[in-house]
């Protein structure tokens, strides 16, 4: 046993040293001498830009075709709407997620809808379309959101106003945030943390029929939420390695970040499997429950619990992180644009009863200006900042860019929202009016605004997400003034599958009279 361990240890050390040397050599003398690749490898882009996505945006803004190449990554990045339409619709079959992508997220998402192509993807999408498109499931989802707003979100925010405040910080070692509450202090509340808790409660109830109670007054630490966050973060970091061999070696020897990832995914999987087991044990209970898991079990009519787990974990990822990210970006922009806030309140006062805490589903459909404001905020702060595909065959994009078989092709919604040639000279301004025509919301071309993807892979949960965001914003803006602390600072993004603001979103909250 000792001999085997020693052999493995020295083998790993030798291989790690070898690949470290290769990386060092590549950084000293990269095989591509173009300025973009050298800047990326040496990280000198960070001297001028806070985030890598801002550096890519700069490059794309200065590219005549709206397309750039990062040769050392084998990645073609585009902000050209014609290219986006070609990739997501016209020649969709040539640009699947690809084996490379599926391998990176395979441990977390398995065979879930966001990690597969071909027949498996078509089957899950058809099934999900039937479920998410039903009136019953949409009504149930809205009821869950409304209940969480009334019973938890509003009372919690109200308790943290000027009279009773909290300094909310997200540290895993904390047992509870209740100890941070103190009287007669200015409010410093991490709104991103609150919104993530809100979204996690909702999506868990919707997906599993499980209430993790993340938004109860004590603001407890959730092992499931932490494990899910860590899983997403470490899975995304795999793609940032200089070579996939590095993380695959770490996974093989179960060391470092891969060991942490394995442990975090086990927590997520154990809970999902326990939920499935409980559903199996409920006598004739599958069809009587409204949560997504039960409905999928009834539709699948299968005993493949691993497959069920992968499907629901994928929806957990989509429904939690994207909504929280979009709402966080919204409140950042709203805090800087009080005139937009005033117009939203005028609309809410016209549509809602003065004593209403939450809007009805019918009322949310009348909120055209708010709808425009939400879409506008996601233009500037898309929850998914970029998305990649892999070419099956050699191809040429509409702008003349050659794509080699097996190479990565990325479209960049974050950069696209900052392009003058797409949105005009005021592209950096927060203007909900650009989405309105005679006071009525009018959607834009999805290929110039691919926040929800477009074409065959367009997000099935788009309408559910928009309604949830409308309900949250209407409830909070109607009752509170939310002001970002240090609102002039440029946001910094943390690594992850969705946009997460590093350091959270510290706000001061004042109850309106």
């Amino acid at each position: 046993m000792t001999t085997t361990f020693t052999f493995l240890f020295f083998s790993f050390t030798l291989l790690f040293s070898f690949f470290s040397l290769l990386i060092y050599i590549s950084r000293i003398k990269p095989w591509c001498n173009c300025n973009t690749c050298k800047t990326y490898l040496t990280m000198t882009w960070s001297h001028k830009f806070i985030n890598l996505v801002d550096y890519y945006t700069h490059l794309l803004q200065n590219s005549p075709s709206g397309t750039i190449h990062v040769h050392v990554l084998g990645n073609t990045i585009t902000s050209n709407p014609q290219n986006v339409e070609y990739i997501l619709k016209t020649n969709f079959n040539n640009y699947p997620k690809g084996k490379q992508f599926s391998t990176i997220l395979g441990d977390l998402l398995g065979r879930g809808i966001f990690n597969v192509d071909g027949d498996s993807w078509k089957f899950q999408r058809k099934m999900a379309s039937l479920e998410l498109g039903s009136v019953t499931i949409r009504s149930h989802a809205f009821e869950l959101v409304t209940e969480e707003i009334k019973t938890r979100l509003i009372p919690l925010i109200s308790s943290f106003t000027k009279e009773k405040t909290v300094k909310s910080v997200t540290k895993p070692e904390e047992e509870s945030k209740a100890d941070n509450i103190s009287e007669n202090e200015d409010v410093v509340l991490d709104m991103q943390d609150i919104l993530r808790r809100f979204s996690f409660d909702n999506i868990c109830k919707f997906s599993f029929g499980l209430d993790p109670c993340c938004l109860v007054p004590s603001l407890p630490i959730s092992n499931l939420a932490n494990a899910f966050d860590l899983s997403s973060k470490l899975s995304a970091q795999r793609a940032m390695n200089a070579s996939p061999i590095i993380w695959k070696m770490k996974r093989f020897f179960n060391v470092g970040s891969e060991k942490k990832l394995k442990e975090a995914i086990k927590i997520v999987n154990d809970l999902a499997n326990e939920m499935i087991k409980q559903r199996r044990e409920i006598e004739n209970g599958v069809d009587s429950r409204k949560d997504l898991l039960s409905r999928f079990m009834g539709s699948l009519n299968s005993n493949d619990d691993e497959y069920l787990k992968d499907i629901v974990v994928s929806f957990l990822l989509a429904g939690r992180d994207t909504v929280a990210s979009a709402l966080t970006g919204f409140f950042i922009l709203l805090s800087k644009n009080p005139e937009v806030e005033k117009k939203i309140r005028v609309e809410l006062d016209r549509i809602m009863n003065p004593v209403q805490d939450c809007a009805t589903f019918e009322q949310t459909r009348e909120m055209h200006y708010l709808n425009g404001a939400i879409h506008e905020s996601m233009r500037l702060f898309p929850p998914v900042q970029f998305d990649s595909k892999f070419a099956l065959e050699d191809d040429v994009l509409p702008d003349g860019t050659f794509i080699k078989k097996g190479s990565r092709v990325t479209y960049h919604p974050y950069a696209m929202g900052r392009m003058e040639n797409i949105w005009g000279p005021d592209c950096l301004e927060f203007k909900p009016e650009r989405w309105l025509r005679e006071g009525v919301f009018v959607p834009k071309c999805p290929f110039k605004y691919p926040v929800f993807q477009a074409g065959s892979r367009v997000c099935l949960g788009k309408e559910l997400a928009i309604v949830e965001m409308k309900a949250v914003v209407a409830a909070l803006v109607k009752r509170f003034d939310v002001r970002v602390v240090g609102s002039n600072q440029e946001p910094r993004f943390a690594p992850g599958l969705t946009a997460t603001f590093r350091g959270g979103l510290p706000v001061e909250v004042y109850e309106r009279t």
Side-chain angles (χ1 to χ4, degrees):
M1 183 67 180
T2 303
T3 304
T4 303
F5 177 81
T6 302
F7 173 78
L8 290 174
F9 176 80
F10 281 106
S11 296
F12 172 78
T13 303
L14 181 62
L15 287 171
F16 186 82
S17 300
F18 174 72
F19 286 112
S20 297
L21 178 62
L22 290 179
I23 294 169
Y24 174 76
I25 293 173
S26 71
R27 287 179 180 271
I28 299 300
K29 188 179 180 180
W31 53 92
C32 176
N33 289 317
C34 75
N35 184 63
T36 299
C37 291
K38 286 191 290 185
T39 302
Y40 176 83
L41 286 170
T42 58
M43 290 195 67
T44 51
W45 60 264
S46 61
H47 298 165
K48 293 184 179 180
F49 301 95
I50 295 176
N51 305 292
L52 182 59
V53 288
D54 292 314
Y55 171 58
Y56 285 153
T57 298
H58 167 74
L59 294 177
L60 290 165
Q61 287 172 337
N62 288 278
S63 169
S65 65
T67 302
I68 61 171
H69 301 277
V70 185
H71 305 97
V72 293
L73 297 179
N75 192 6
T76 298
I77 305 174
T78 187
S79 62
N80 187 321
Q82 290 182 321
N83 289 346
V84 175
E85 182 174 8
Y86 185 79
I87 294 165
L88 297 182
K89 180 183 177 181
T90 309
N91 201 12
F92 170 77
N93 291 330
N94 193 52
Y95 295 96
K97 284 286 186 180
K99 184 178 179 181
Q100 299 94 321
F101 182 91
S102 299
T103 302
I104 289 173
L105 297 181
D107 291 332
L108 175 61
L109 300 181
R111 296 175 290 163
I113 188 171
F114 303 116
N115 205 44
V116 292
D117 294 303
D119 292 339
S120 180
W121 169 75
K122 291 178 182 178
F123 170 73
Q124 290 186 55
R125 185 172 178 84
K126 181 179 180 181
M127 184 172 61
S129 179
L130 291 172
E131 295 296 343
L132 297 179
S134 72
V135 175
T136 302
I137 200 72
R138 292 192 176 200
S139 298
H140 177 60
F142 190 75
E143 288 172 6
L144 292 176
V145 169
T146 302
E147 179 187 18
E148 187 80 5
I149 292 173
K150 286 182 177 179
T151 61
R152 291 181 181 168
L153 184 61
I154 289 179
L156 183 71
I157 298 293
S158 184
S159 69
F160 292 163
T161 54
K162 191 74 172 180
E163 291 71 30
K164 194 174 186 180
T165 68
V166 65
K167 292 183 178 180
S168 178
V169 291
T170 52
K171 295 181 179 179
E173 66 269 21
E174 290 181 342
E175 293 296 329
S176 169
K177 298 192 177 184
D179 294 337
N180 289 324
I181 297 176
S182 59
E183 299 292 338
N184 301 319
E185 293 182 6
D186 289 335
V187 173
V188 180
L189 178 68
D190 184 357
M191 184 58 82
Q192 178 173 253
D193 177 47
I194 298 302
L195 294 171
R196 286 165 71 85
R197 289 170 177 272
F198 170 84
S199 298
F200 198 65
D201 277 358
N202 276 318
I203 197 60
C204 282
K205 287 189 283 187
F206 180 63
S207 297
F208 296 120
L210 165 74
D211 184 1
C213 298
C214 291
L215 205 58
V216 297
S218 62
L219 295 177
I221 296 298
S222 168
N223 290 333
L224 173 59
N226 285 342
F228 203 80
D229 287 343
L230 187 59
S231 299
S232 300
K233 176 183 176 181
L234 295 179
S235 294
Q237 286 180 351
R238 282 177 168 180
M240 299 173 66
N241 283 309
S243 169
I245 297 176
I246 296 175
W247 69 260
K248 288 181 179 180
M249 289 293 295
K250 291 165 70 176
R251 182 177 65 174
F252 179 79
F253 289 105
N254 194 31
V255 296
S257 59
E258 287 298 314
K259 180 179 180 180
K260 294 179 181 178
L261 176 60
K262 183 178 180 180
E263 293 169 349
I265 290 176
K266 185 178 185 303
I267 294 174
V268 175
N269 289 346
D270 285 349
L271 179 67
N273 289 328
E274 180 61 29
M275 291 299 102
I276 293 172
K277 181 181 177 182
Q278 289 180 14
R279 294 297 182 274
R280 296 284 189 211
E281 293 174 351
I282 297 174
E283 183 179 359
N284 299 322
V286 171
D287 295 328
S288 65
R289 289 178 175 265
K290 297 180 180 180
D291 62 89
L292 201 60
L293 173 59
S294 296
R295 296 176 69 90
F296 269 51
M297 288 173 70
S299 299
L300 275 172
N301 193 25
S302 167
N303 291 320
D304 189 347
D305 290 351
E306 187 72 15
Y307 191 30
L308 280 171
K309 182 265 298 178
D310 292 342
I311 292 174
V312 178
V313 168
S314 292
F315 279 93
L316 194 64
L317 172 68
R320 185 268 182 122
D321 291 353
T322 53
V323 170
S325 176
L327 286 171
T328 302
F330 178 88
F331 281 105
I332 288 176
L333 292 166
L334 195 68
S335 185
K336 295 180 179 180
N337 295 272
E339 70 285 354
V340 173
E341 186 177 55
K342 290 178 183 178
K343 292 179 181 179
I344 291 174
R345 284 176 175 156
V346 169
E347 182 175 71
L348 295 179
D349 290 341
R350 176 174 55 82
I351 295 171
M352 296 175 64
N353 188 295
V355 297
Q356 265 187 280
D357 285 330
C358 294
T360 65
F361 179 79
E362 290 72 21
Q363 287 173 334
T364 62
R365 299 179 66 178
E366 299 178 42
M367 298 175 182
H368 294 282
Y369 188 83
L370 177 55
N371 198 9
I374 288 173
H375 280 77
E376 178 74 347
S377 70
M378 288 190 290
R379 178 181 70 84
L380 294 169
F381 291 126
V384 179
Q385 297 175 328
F386 55 89
D387 189 37
S388 298
K389 314 295 181 185
F390 287 86
L392 287 178
E393 302 293 341
D394 288 351
D395 199 8
V396 178
L397 298 181
D399 67 357
T401 301
F402 174 73
I403 303 298
K404 186 178 179 181
K405 175 182 177 180
S407 65
R408 181 179 175 185
V409 183
T410 299
Y411 66 93
H412 210 290
Y414 181 90
M416 293 178 74
R418 289 162 168 74
M419 293 292 157
E420 284 194 20
N421 63 335
I422 297 177
W423 299 99
D426 61 352
C427 62
L428 298 182
E429 297 179 28
F430 180 50
K431 292 180 62 176
E433 289 79 7
R434 74 174 83 240
W435 294 84
L436 304 178
R437 186 181 302 160
E438 297 181 356
V440 177
F441 175 83
V442 179
K444 302 293 184 181
C445 170
F447 303 108
K448 62 183 282 188
Y449 181 79
V451 170
F452 293 95
Q453 293 208 48
S456 299
R457 276 193 180 264
V458 67
C459 176
L460 293 172
K462 173 183 176 180
E463 297 305 323
L464 289 176
I466 293 295
V467 169
E468 180 177 349
M469 286 187 276
K470 283 184 182 178
V472 171
V473 173
L476 295 187
V477 171
K478 187 172 183 289
R479 183 162 177 172
F480 305 103
D481 288 321
V482 181
R483 298 293 176 259
V484 176
V485 177
S487 58
N488 292 327
Q489 297 177 358
E490 290 297 318
R492 295 175 179 268
F493 300 109
L497 299 177
T498 55
T500 302
F501 296 87
R502 193 186 298 273
L505 182 63
V507 300
E508 294 179 345
V509 184
Y510 302 91
E511 191 149 7
R512 299 180 67 216
T513 57

